[in-house]
PDB file of all heavy atoms in Angstrom:
ATOM      1  N   THR X   1      -9.737 -16.153   4.829  1.00  0.00           N
ATOM      2  CA  THR X   1     -10.532 -15.973   6.041  1.00  0.00           C
ATOM      3  C   THR X   1     -10.098 -14.688   6.734  1.00  0.00           C
ATOM      4  O   THR X   1      -8.926 -14.534   7.085  1.00  0.00           O
ATOM      5  CB  THR X   1     -10.376 -17.157   7.008  1.00  0.00           C
ATOM      6  OG1 THR X   1     -10.902 -18.336   6.397  1.00  0.00           O
ATOM      7  CG2 THR X   1     -11.139 -16.891   8.303  1.00  0.00           C
ATOM      8  N   VAL X   2     -11.043 -13.779   6.907  1.00  0.00           N
ATOM      9  CA  VAL X   2     -10.810 -12.558   7.691  1.00  0.00           C
ATOM     10  C   VAL X   2     -11.409 -12.825   9.067  1.00  0.00           C
ATOM     11  O   VAL X   2     -12.605 -12.649   9.289  1.00  0.00           O
ATOM     12  CB  VAL X   2     -11.460 -11.328   7.021  1.00  0.00           C
ATOM     13  CG1 VAL X   2     -11.256 -10.082   7.886  1.00  0.00           C
ATOM     14  CG2 VAL X   2     -10.868 -11.110   5.631  1.00  0.00           C
ATOM     15  N   SER X   3     -10.580 -13.305   9.981  1.00  0.00           N
ATOM     16  CA  SER X   3     -11.065 -13.704  11.302  1.00  0.00           C
ATOM     17  C   SER X   3     -11.240 -12.519  12.235  1.00  0.00           C
ATOM     18  O   SER X   3     -11.741 -12.662  13.348  1.00  0.00           O
ATOM     19  CB  SER X   3     -10.101 -14.724  11.929  1.00  0.00           C
ATOM     20  OG  SER X   3      -8.788 -14.203  11.975  1.00  0.00           O
ATOM     21  N   GLY X   4     -10.852 -11.357  11.781  1.00  0.00           N
ATOM     22  CA  GLY X   4     -10.979 -10.120  12.561  1.00  0.00           C
ATOM     23  C   GLY X   4     -10.143  -9.059  11.884  1.00  0.00           C
ATOM     24  O   GLY X   4      -9.228  -9.378  11.126  1.00  0.00           O
ATOM     25  N   LEU X   5     -10.448  -7.808  12.156  1.00  0.00           N
ATOM     26  CA  LEU X   5      -9.729  -6.728  11.491  1.00  0.00           C
ATOM     27  C   LEU X   5      -8.451  -6.346  12.212  1.00  0.00           C
ATOM     28  O   LEU X   5      -7.656  -5.580  11.693  1.00  0.00           O
ATOM     29  CB  LEU X   5     -10.637  -5.502  11.349  1.00  0.00           C
ATOM     30  CG  LEU X   5     -11.913  -5.741  10.530  1.00  0.00           C
ATOM     31  CD1 LEU X   5     -12.640  -4.429  10.308  1.00  0.00           C
ATOM     32  CD2 LEU X   5     -11.590  -6.400   9.199  1.00  0.00           C
ATOM     33  N   GLY X   6      -8.246  -6.877  13.419  1.00  0.00           N
ATOM     34  CA  GLY X   6      -7.005  -6.587  14.134  1.00  0.00           C
ATOM     35  C   GLY X   6      -6.900  -5.132  14.531  1.00  0.00           C
ATOM     36  O   GLY X   6      -7.842  -4.348  14.407  1.00  0.00           O
ATOM     37  N   THR X   7      -5.720  -4.760  14.990  1.00  0.00           N
ATOM     38  CA  THR X   7      -5.525  -3.389  15.462  1.00  0.00           C
ATOM     39  C   THR X   7      -5.347  -2.405  14.323  1.00  0.00           C
ATOM     40  O   THR X   7      -5.433  -1.198  14.520  1.00  0.00           O
ATOM     41  CB  THR X   7      -4.288  -3.317  16.386  1.00  0.00           C
ATOM     42  OG1 THR X   7      -3.133  -3.747  15.644  1.00  0.00           O
ATOM     43  CG2 THR X   7      -4.468  -4.216  17.593  1.00  0.00           C
ATOM     44  N   GLY X   8      -5.088  -2.911  13.105  1.00  0.00           N
ATOM     45  CA  GLY X   8      -4.868  -2.024  11.968  1.00  0.00           C
ATOM     46  C   GLY X   8      -6.042  -1.107  11.700  1.00  0.00           C
ATOM     47  O   GLY X   8      -5.873   0.075  11.378  1.00  0.00           O
ATOM     48  N   PHE X   9      -7.260  -1.622  11.841  1.00  0.00           N
ATOM     49  CA  PHE X   9      -8.455  -0.822  11.598  1.00  0.00           C
ATOM     50  C   PHE X   9      -8.874  -0.041  12.847  1.00  0.00           C
ATOM     51  O   PHE X   9      -9.917   0.611  12.840  1.00  0.00           O
ATOM     52  CB  PHE X   9      -9.591  -1.724  11.125  1.00  0.00           C
ATOM     53  CG  PHE X   9      -9.509  -2.073   9.663  1.00  0.00           C
ATOM     54  CD1 PHE X   9      -8.683  -3.094   9.226  1.00  0.00           C
ATOM     55  CD2 PHE X   9     -10.241  -1.364   8.717  1.00  0.00           C
ATOM     56  CE1 PHE X   9      -8.597  -3.419   7.879  1.00  0.00           C
ATOM     57  CE2 PHE X   9     -10.164  -1.676   7.371  1.00  0.00           C
ATOM     58  CZ  PHE X   9      -9.339  -2.706   6.945  1.00  0.00           C
ATOM     59  N   LEU X  10      -8.081  -0.121  13.901  1.00  0.00           N
ATOM     60  CA  LEU X  10      -8.349   0.654  15.114  1.00  0.00           C
ATOM     61  C   LEU X  10      -7.224   1.645  15.398  1.00  0.00           C
ATOM     62  O   LEU X  10      -7.161   2.222  16.467  1.00  0.00           O
ATOM     63  CB  LEU X  10      -8.491  -0.287  16.324  1.00  0.00           C
ATOM     64  CG  LEU X  10      -9.660  -1.277  16.293  1.00  0.00           C
ATOM     65  CD1 LEU X  10      -9.526  -2.270  17.436  1.00  0.00           C
ATOM     66  CD2 LEU X  10     -10.992  -0.561  16.374  1.00  0.00           C
ATOM     67  N   SER X  11      -6.357   1.839  14.398  1.00  0.00           N
ATOM     68  CA  SER X  11      -5.139   2.623  14.631  1.00  0.00           C
ATOM     69  C   SER X  11      -5.110   3.945  13.874  1.00  0.00           C
ATOM     70  O   SER X  11      -4.052   4.502  13.639  1.00  0.00           O
ATOM     71  CB  SER X  11      -3.904   1.788  14.243  1.00  0.00           C
ATOM     72  OG  SER X  11      -3.852   0.595  14.985  1.00  0.00           O
ATOM     73  N   GLY X  12      -6.262   4.436  13.480  1.00  0.00           N
ATOM     74  CA  GLY X  12      -6.296   5.728  12.796  1.00  0.00           C
ATOM     75  C   GLY X  12      -6.573   5.583  11.312  1.00  0.00           C
ATOM     76  O   GLY X  12      -6.453   4.509  10.726  1.00  0.00           O
ATOM     77  N   ARG X  13      -6.960   6.694  10.701  1.00  0.00           N
ATOM     78  CA  ARG X  13      -7.435   6.667   9.322  1.00  0.00           C
ATOM     79  C   ARG X  13      -6.340   6.346   8.320  1.00  0.00           C
ATOM     80  O   ARG X  13      -6.601   5.712   7.291  1.00  0.00           O
ATOM     81  CB  ARG X  13      -8.069   8.015   8.988  1.00  0.00           C
ATOM     82  CG  ARG X  13      -9.376   8.283   9.735  1.00  0.00           C
ATOM     83  CD  ARG X  13     -10.005   9.594   9.311  1.00  0.00           C
ATOM     84  NE  ARG X  13     -11.281   9.814   9.995  1.00  0.00           N
ATOM     85  CZ  ARG X  13     -12.039  10.890   9.805  1.00  0.00           C
ATOM     86  NH1 ARG X  13     -11.635  11.840   8.969  1.00  0.00           N
ATOM     87  NH2 ARG X  13     -13.174  11.005  10.455  1.00  0.00           N
ATOM     88  N   LEU X  14      -5.115   6.812   8.579  1.00  0.00           N
ATOM     89  CA  LEU X  14      -4.046   6.594   7.601  1.00  0.00           C
ATOM     90  C   LEU X  14      -3.758   5.113   7.422  1.00  0.00           C
ATOM     91  O   LEU X  14      -3.737   4.599   6.289  1.00  0.00           O
ATOM     92  CB  LEU X  14      -2.768   7.335   8.025  1.00  0.00           C
ATOM     93  CG  LEU X  14      -1.551   7.131   7.103  1.00  0.00           C
ATOM     94  CD1 LEU X  14      -1.863   7.600   5.688  1.00  0.00           C
ATOM     95  CD2 LEU X  14      -0.337   7.870   7.658  1.00  0.00           C
ATOM     96  N   LEU X  15      -3.539   4.396   8.542  1.00  0.00           N
ATOM     97  CA  LEU X  15      -3.253   2.973   8.447  1.00  0.00           C
ATOM     98  C   LEU X  15      -4.456   2.213   7.901  1.00  0.00           C
ATOM     99  O   LEU X  15      -4.294   1.278   7.099  1.00  0.00           O
ATOM    100  CB  LEU X  15      -2.861   2.420   9.823  1.00  0.00           C
ATOM    101  CG  LEU X  15      -2.415   0.950   9.853  1.00  0.00           C
ATOM    102  CD1 LEU X  15      -1.282   0.704   8.865  1.00  0.00           C
ATOM    103  CD2 LEU X  15      -1.986   0.557  11.263  1.00  0.00           C
ATOM    104  N   GLU X  16      -5.655   2.620   8.268  1.00  0.00           N
ATOM    105  CA  GLU X  16      -6.852   1.970   7.737  1.00  0.00           C
ATOM    106  C   GLU X  16      -6.938   2.150   6.227  1.00  0.00           C
ATOM    107  O   GLU X  16      -7.288   1.216   5.494  1.00  0.00           O
ATOM    108  CB  GLU X  16      -8.110   2.532   8.399  1.00  0.00           C
ATOM    109  CG  GLU X  16      -9.394   1.872   7.913  1.00  0.00           C
ATOM    110  CD  GLU X  16     -10.644   2.424   8.590  1.00  0.00           C
ATOM    111  OE1 GLU X  16     -10.511   3.042   9.657  1.00  0.00           O
ATOM    112  OE2 GLU X  16     -11.738   2.217   8.040  1.00  0.00           O
ATOM    113  N   ALA X  17      -6.597   3.355   5.734  1.00  0.00           N
ATOM    114  CA  ALA X  17      -6.636   3.608   4.294  1.00  0.00           C
ATOM    115  C   ALA X  17      -5.611   2.752   3.556  1.00  0.00           C
ATOM    116  O   ALA X  17      -5.892   2.215   2.481  1.00  0.00           O
ATOM    117  CB  ALA X  17      -6.392   5.086   4.022  1.00  0.00           C
ATOM    118  N   ILE X  18      -4.426   2.606   4.143  1.00  0.00           N
ATOM    119  CA  ILE X  18      -3.383   1.784   3.518  1.00  0.00           C
ATOM    120  C   ILE X  18      -3.818   0.327   3.478  1.00  0.00           C
ATOM    121  O   ILE X  18      -3.695  -0.357   2.452  1.00  0.00           O
ATOM    122  CB  ILE X  18      -2.047   1.943   4.275  1.00  0.00           C
ATOM    123  CG1 ILE X  18      -1.508   3.372   4.115  1.00  0.00           C
ATOM    124  CG2 ILE X  18      -1.018   0.934   3.773  1.00  0.00           C
ATOM    125  CD1 ILE X  18      -0.309   3.675   4.983  1.00  0.00           C
ATOM    126  N   LEU X  19      -4.342  -0.165   4.603  1.00  0.00           N
ATOM    127  CA  LEU X  19      -4.800  -1.553   4.658  1.00  0.00           C
ATOM    128  C   LEU X  19      -5.935  -1.812   3.677  1.00  0.00           C
ATOM    129  O   LEU X  19      -6.004  -2.880   3.060  1.00  0.00           O
ATOM    130  CB  LEU X  19      -5.241  -1.900   6.075  1.00  0.00           C
ATOM    131  CG  LEU X  19      -4.131  -2.223   7.077  1.00  0.00           C
ATOM    132  CD1 LEU X  19      -4.706  -2.361   8.473  1.00  0.00           C
ATOM    133  CD2 LEU X  19      -3.403  -3.494   6.679  1.00  0.00           C
ATOM    134  N   THR X  20      -6.819  -0.837   3.533  1.00  0.00           N
ATOM    135  CA  THR X  20      -7.932  -0.990   2.598  1.00  0.00           C
ATOM    136  C   THR X  20      -7.419  -1.203   1.181  1.00  0.00           C
ATOM    137  O   THR X  20      -7.877  -2.107   0.463  1.00  0.00           O
ATOM    138  CB  THR X  20      -8.841   0.248   2.646  1.00  0.00           C
ATOM    139  OG1 THR X  20      -9.436   0.342   3.947  1.00  0.00           O
ATOM    140  CG2 THR X  20      -9.942   0.164   1.600  1.00  0.00           C
ATOM    141  N   LYS X  21      -6.456  -0.401   0.763  1.00  0.00           N
ATOM    142  CA  LYS X  21      -5.890  -0.536  -0.580  1.00  0.00           C
ATOM    143  C   LYS X  21      -5.162  -1.867  -0.736  1.00  0.00           C
ATOM    144  O   LYS X  21      -5.260  -2.530  -1.778  1.00  0.00           O
ATOM    145  CB  LYS X  21      -4.950   0.639  -0.870  1.00  0.00           C
ATOM    146  CG  LYS X  21      -5.651   1.982  -1.027  1.00  0.00           C
ATOM    147  CD  LYS X  21      -4.668   3.083  -1.367  1.00  0.00           C
ATOM    148  CE  LYS X  21      -5.366   4.432  -1.505  1.00  0.00           C
ATOM    149  NZ  LYS X  21      -6.350   4.434  -2.623  1.00  0.00           N
ATOM    150  N   LEU X  22      -4.421  -2.261   0.289  1.00  0.00           N
ATOM    151  CA  LEU X  22      -3.688  -3.523   0.215  1.00  0.00           C
ATOM    152  C   LEU X  22      -4.634  -4.713   0.152  1.00  0.00           C
ATOM    153  O   LEU X  22      -4.440  -5.647  -0.645  1.00  0.00           O
ATOM    154  CB  LEU X  22      -2.753  -3.655   1.414  1.00  0.00           C
ATOM    155  CG  LEU X  22      -1.508  -2.759   1.400  1.00  0.00           C
ATOM    156  CD1 LEU X  22      -0.767  -2.854   2.732  1.00  0.00           C
ATOM    157  CD2 LEU X  22      -0.576  -3.136   0.248  1.00  0.00           C
ATOM    158  N   TYR X  23      -5.674  -4.711   0.993  1.00  0.00           N
ATOM    159  CA  TYR X  23      -6.649  -5.798   0.953  1.00  0.00           C
ATOM    160  C   TYR X  23      -7.344  -5.849  -0.410  1.00  0.00           C
ATOM    161  O   TYR X  23      -7.561  -6.930  -0.964  1.00  0.00           O
ATOM    162  CB  TYR X  23      -7.697  -5.614   2.049  1.00  0.00           C
ATOM    163  CG  TYR X  23      -7.394  -6.313   3.356  1.00  0.00           C
ATOM    164  CD1 TYR X  23      -7.246  -5.594   4.547  1.00  0.00           C
ATOM    165  CD2 TYR X  23      -7.297  -7.696   3.416  1.00  0.00           C
ATOM    166  CE1 TYR X  23      -6.990  -6.227   5.756  1.00  0.00           C
ATOM    167  CE2 TYR X  23      -7.037  -8.345   4.614  1.00  0.00           C
ATOM    168  CZ  TYR X  23      -6.893  -7.607   5.778  1.00  0.00           C
ATOM    169  OH  TYR X  23      -6.633  -8.251   6.960  1.00  0.00           O
ATOM    170  N   ARG X  24      -7.708  -4.689  -0.932  1.00  0.00           N
ATOM    171  CA  ARG X  24      -8.388  -4.650  -2.229  1.00  0.00           C
ATOM    172  C   ARG X  24      -7.511  -5.256  -3.316  1.00  0.00           C
ATOM    173  O   ARG X  24      -7.988  -5.991  -4.186  1.00  0.00           O
ATOM    174  CB  ARG X  24      -8.760  -3.205  -2.556  1.00  0.00           C
ATOM    175  CG  ARG X  24      -9.729  -3.045  -3.727  1.00  0.00           C
ATOM    176  CD  ARG X  24     -10.038  -1.576  -3.937  1.00  0.00           C
ATOM    177  NE  ARG X  24     -10.788  -1.033  -2.807  1.00  0.00           N
ATOM    178  CZ  ARG X  24     -10.647   0.214  -2.352  1.00  0.00           C
ATOM    179  NH1 ARG X  24      -9.751   1.022  -2.890  1.00  0.00           N
ATOM    180  NH2 ARG X  24     -11.387   0.631  -1.343  1.00  0.00           N
ATOM    181  N   TRP X  25      -6.221  -4.953  -3.250  1.00  0.00           N
ATOM    182  CA  TRP X  25      -5.267  -5.497  -4.224  1.00  0.00           C
ATOM    183  C   TRP X  25      -5.061  -6.993  -4.022  1.00  0.00           C
ATOM    184  O   TRP X  25      -5.088  -7.776  -4.972  1.00  0.00           O
ATOM    185  CB  TRP X  25      -3.935  -4.748  -4.091  1.00  0.00           C
ATOM    186  CG  TRP X  25      -2.786  -5.369  -4.832  1.00  0.00           C
ATOM    187  CD1 TRP X  25      -2.585  -5.416  -6.181  1.00  0.00           C
ATOM    188  CD2 TRP X  25      -1.659  -6.032  -4.233  1.00  0.00           C
ATOM    189  NE1 TRP X  25      -1.413  -6.067  -6.476  1.00  0.00           N
ATOM    190  CE2 TRP X  25      -0.820  -6.454  -5.304  1.00  0.00           C
ATOM    191  CE3 TRP X  25      -1.273  -6.300  -2.929  1.00  0.00           C
ATOM    192  CZ2 TRP X  25       0.375  -7.129  -5.081  1.00  0.00           C
ATOM    193  CZ3 TRP X  25      -0.084  -6.976  -2.707  1.00  0.00           C
ATOM    194  CH2 TRP X  25       0.725  -7.386  -3.770  1.00  0.00           C
ATOM    195  N   GLY X  26      -4.906  -7.416  -2.767  1.00  0.00           N
ATOM    196  CA  GLY X  26      -4.608  -8.810  -2.487  1.00  0.00           C
ATOM    197  C   GLY X  26      -5.777  -9.749  -2.735  1.00  0.00           C
ATOM    198  O   GLY X  26      -5.582 -10.893  -3.150  1.00  0.00           O
ATOM    199  N   LEU X  27      -7.010  -9.284  -2.495  1.00  0.00           N
ATOM    200  CA  LEU X  27      -8.175 -10.155  -2.567  1.00  0.00           C
ATOM    201  C   LEU X  27      -8.930 -10.058  -3.891  1.00  0.00           C
ATOM    202  O   LEU X  27      -9.987 -10.675  -4.049  1.00  0.00           O
ATOM    203  CB  LEU X  27      -9.148  -9.827  -1.415  1.00  0.00           C
ATOM    204  CG  LEU X  27      -8.601  -9.964   0.001  1.00  0.00           C
ATOM    205  CD1 LEU X  27      -9.686  -9.632   1.021  1.00  0.00           C
ATOM    206  CD2 LEU X  27      -8.031 -11.344   0.263  1.00  0.00           C
ATOM    207  N   ARG X  28      -8.396  -9.323  -4.838  1.00  0.00           N
ATOM    208  CA  ARG X  28      -9.146  -9.056  -6.067  1.00  0.00           C
ATOM    209  C   ARG X  28      -9.464 -10.319  -6.855  1.00  0.00           C
ATOM    210  O   ARG X  28     -10.468 -10.389  -7.557  1.00  0.00           O
ATOM    211  CB  ARG X  28      -8.388  -8.049  -6.944  1.00  0.00           C
ATOM    212  CG  ARG X  28      -7.106  -8.605  -7.560  1.00  0.00           C
ATOM    213  CD  ARG X  28      -6.224  -7.484  -8.099  1.00  0.00           C
ATOM    214  NE  ARG X  28      -5.069  -7.998  -8.841  1.00  0.00           N
ATOM    215  CZ  ARG X  28      -3.989  -8.527  -8.277  1.00  0.00           C
ATOM    216  NH1 ARG X  28      -3.916  -8.607  -6.955  1.00  0.00           N
ATOM    217  NH2 ARG X  28      -2.989  -8.962  -9.026  1.00  0.00           N
ATOM    218  N   ARG X  29      -8.607 -11.349  -6.766  1.00  0.00           N
ATOM    219  CA  ARG X  29      -8.799 -12.560  -7.560  1.00  0.00           C
ATOM    220  C   ARG X  29      -9.205 -13.766  -6.720  1.00  0.00           C
ATOM    221  O   ARG X  29      -9.309 -14.867  -7.249  1.00  0.00           O
ATOM    222  CB  ARG X  29      -7.505 -12.891  -8.324  1.00  0.00           C
ATOM    223  CG  ARG X  29      -7.056 -11.834  -9.321  1.00  0.00           C
ATOM    224  CD  ARG X  29      -7.982 -11.767 -10.525  1.00  0.00           C
ATOM    225  NE  ARG X  29      -7.992 -13.024 -11.260  1.00  0.00           N
ATOM    226  CZ  ARG X  29      -7.089 -13.360 -12.174  1.00  0.00           C
ATOM    227  NH1 ARG X  29      -6.089 -12.542 -12.461  1.00  0.00           N
ATOM    228  NH2 ARG X  29      -7.189 -14.519 -12.815  1.00  0.00           N
ATOM    229  N   THR X  30      -9.407 -13.573  -5.429  1.00  0.00           N
ATOM    230  CA  THR X  30      -9.734 -14.717  -4.584  1.00  0.00           C
ATOM    231  C   THR X  30     -11.133 -15.247  -4.893  1.00  0.00           C
ATOM    232  O   THR X  30     -12.018 -14.492  -5.320  1.00  0.00           O
ATOM    233  CB  THR X  30      -9.624 -14.331  -3.095  1.00  0.00           C
ATOM    234  OG1 THR X  30      -9.651 -15.509  -2.297  1.00  0.00           O
ATOM    235  CG2 THR X  30     -10.776 -13.433  -2.674  1.00  0.00           C
ATOM    236  N   TYR X  31     -11.323 -16.549  -4.689  1.00  0.00           N
ATOM    237  CA  TYR X  31     -12.604 -17.174  -5.020  1.00  0.00           C
ATOM    238  C   TYR X  31     -13.670 -16.824  -3.982  1.00  0.00           C
ATOM    239  O   TYR X  31     -14.768 -16.389  -4.327  1.00  0.00           O
ATOM    240  CB  TYR X  31     -12.428 -18.687  -5.126  1.00  0.00           C
ATOM    241  CG  TYR X  31     -13.694 -19.432  -5.490  1.00  0.00           C
ATOM    242  CD1 TYR X  31     -14.243 -19.331  -6.770  1.00  0.00           C
ATOM    243  CD2 TYR X  31     -14.342 -20.246  -4.557  1.00  0.00           C
ATOM    244  CE1 TYR X  31     -15.403 -20.007  -7.103  1.00  0.00           C
ATOM    245  CE2 TYR X  31     -15.499 -20.932  -4.891  1.00  0.00           C
ATOM    246  CZ  TYR X  31     -16.028 -20.808  -6.167  1.00  0.00           C
ATOM    247  OH  TYR X  31     -17.175 -21.492  -6.501  1.00  0.00           O
ATOM    248  N   ARG X  32     -13.370 -17.026  -2.719  1.00  0.00           N
ATOM    249  CA  ARG X  32     -14.300 -16.684  -1.642  1.00  0.00           C
ATOM    250  C   ARG X  32     -13.505 -16.133  -0.453  1.00  0.00           C
ATOM    251  O   ARG X  32     -12.379 -16.554  -0.192  1.00  0.00           O
ATOM    252  CB  ARG X  32     -15.108 -17.900  -1.180  1.00  0.00           C
ATOM    253  CG  ARG X  32     -16.093 -18.440  -2.212  1.00  0.00           C
ATOM    254  CD  ARG X  32     -17.267 -17.510  -2.428  1.00  0.00           C
ATOM    255  NE  ARG X  32     -18.236 -18.101  -3.348  1.00  0.00           N
ATOM    256  CZ  ARG X  32     -18.221 -17.933  -4.668  1.00  0.00           C
ATOM    257  NH1 ARG X  32     -17.274 -17.187  -5.221  1.00  0.00           N
ATOM    258  NH2 ARG X  32     -19.154 -18.504  -5.420  1.00  0.00           N
ATOM    259  N   VAL X  33     -14.149 -15.224   0.281  1.00  0.00           N
ATOM    260  CA  VAL X  33     -13.574 -14.676   1.510  1.00  0.00           C
ATOM    261  C   VAL X  33     -14.545 -14.970   2.651  1.00  0.00           C
ATOM    262  O   VAL X  33     -15.703 -14.549   2.613  1.00  0.00           O
ATOM    263  CB  VAL X  33     -13.330 -13.155   1.405  1.00  0.00           C
ATOM    264  CG1 VAL X  33     -12.711 -12.628   2.706  1.00  0.00           C
ATOM    265  CG2 VAL X  33     -12.436 -12.833   0.217  1.00  0.00           C
ATOM    266  N   PHE X  34     -14.080 -15.711   3.650  1.00  0.00           N
ATOM    267  CA  PHE X  34     -14.890 -16.041   4.816  1.00  0.00           C
ATOM    268  C   PHE X  34     -14.726 -14.936   5.864  1.00  0.00           C
ATOM    269  O   PHE X  34     -13.603 -14.546   6.185  1.00  0.00           O
ATOM    270  CB  PHE X  34     -14.451 -17.373   5.425  1.00  0.00           C
ATOM    271  CG  PHE X  34     -14.724 -18.569   4.553  1.00  0.00           C
ATOM    272  CD1 PHE X  34     -13.805 -18.980   3.601  1.00  0.00           C
ATOM    273  CD2 PHE X  34     -15.903 -19.284   4.692  1.00  0.00           C
ATOM    274  CE1 PHE X  34     -14.051 -20.089   2.808  1.00  0.00           C
ATOM    275  CE2 PHE X  34     -16.162 -20.393   3.905  1.00  0.00           C
ATOM    276  CZ  PHE X  34     -15.240 -20.787   2.948  1.00  0.00           C
ATOM    277  N   PHE X  35     -15.843 -14.480   6.400  1.00  0.00           N
ATOM    278  CA  PHE X  35     -15.836 -13.500   7.489  1.00  0.00           C
ATOM    279  C   PHE X  35     -16.470 -14.127   8.721  1.00  0.00           C
ATOM    280  O   PHE X  35     -17.385 -14.947   8.613  1.00  0.00           O
ATOM    281  CB  PHE X  35     -16.619 -12.236   7.100  1.00  0.00           C
ATOM    282  CG  PHE X  35     -16.006 -11.448   5.983  1.00  0.00           C
ATOM    283  CD1 PHE X  35     -16.347 -11.702   4.661  1.00  0.00           C
ATOM    284  CD2 PHE X  35     -15.074 -10.462   6.245  1.00  0.00           C
ATOM    285  CE1 PHE X  35     -15.783 -10.987   3.623  1.00  0.00           C
ATOM    286  CE2 PHE X  35     -14.498  -9.727   5.218  1.00  0.00           C
ATOM    287  CZ  PHE X  35     -14.847  -9.995   3.897  1.00  0.00           C
ATOM    288  N   HIS X  36     -16.004 -13.695   9.900  1.00  0.00           N
ATOM    289  CA  HIS X  36     -16.513 -14.249  11.143  1.00  0.00           C
ATOM    290  C   HIS X  36     -17.689 -13.467  11.718  1.00  0.00           C
ATOM    291  O   HIS X  36     -18.287 -13.891  12.707  1.00  0.00           O
ATOM    292  CB  HIS X  36     -15.402 -14.352  12.180  1.00  0.00           C
ATOM    293  CG  HIS X  36     -14.471 -15.492  11.930  1.00  0.00           C
ATOM    294  ND1 HIS X  36     -13.451 -15.846  12.795  1.00  0.00           N
ATOM    295  CD2 HIS X  36     -14.405 -16.394  10.920  1.00  0.00           C
ATOM    296  CE1 HIS X  36     -12.807 -16.899  12.307  1.00  0.00           C
ATOM    297  NE2 HIS X  36     -13.365 -17.239  11.172  1.00  0.00           N
ATOM    298  N   ASN X  37     -17.995 -12.321  11.129  1.00  0.00           N
ATOM    299  CA  ASN X  37     -19.184 -11.585  11.562  1.00  0.00           C
ATOM    300  C   ASN X  37     -19.655 -10.667  10.445  1.00  0.00           C
ATOM    301  O   ASN X  37     -18.899 -10.352   9.521  1.00  0.00           O
ATOM    302  CB  ASN X  37     -18.924 -10.793  12.857  1.00  0.00           C
ATOM    303  CG  ASN X  37     -17.880  -9.707  12.684  1.00  0.00           C
ATOM    304  OD1 ASN X  37     -18.089  -8.742  11.959  1.00  0.00           O
ATOM    305  ND2 ASN X  37     -16.743  -9.857  13.367  1.00  0.00           N
TER     306      ASN X  37
END
């Protein structure tokens, strides 16, 4: 469940780029991802 993007996606491009890669790696095998919006 991604209940919100938190401050990570509001903290500049570098941290957003790092989080993007980490999320892509972490969620690659998940069955479903729930989003709140």
Side-chain angles (χ1 to χ4, degrees):
T1 296
V2 178
S3 55
L5 300 187
T7 60
F9 280 82
L10 296 171
S11 301
R13 292 183 178 180
L14 177 59
L15 185 54
E16 181 179 341
I18 293 172
L19 281 172
T20 296
K21 291 182 181 297
L22 287 172
Y23 267 119
R24 192 179 293 145
W25 169 71
L27 301 181
R28 70 195 187 284
R29 298 290 298 276
T30 193
Y31 181 70
R32 293 290 184 269
V33 181
F34 293 87
F35 294 90
H36 284 185
N37 64 66

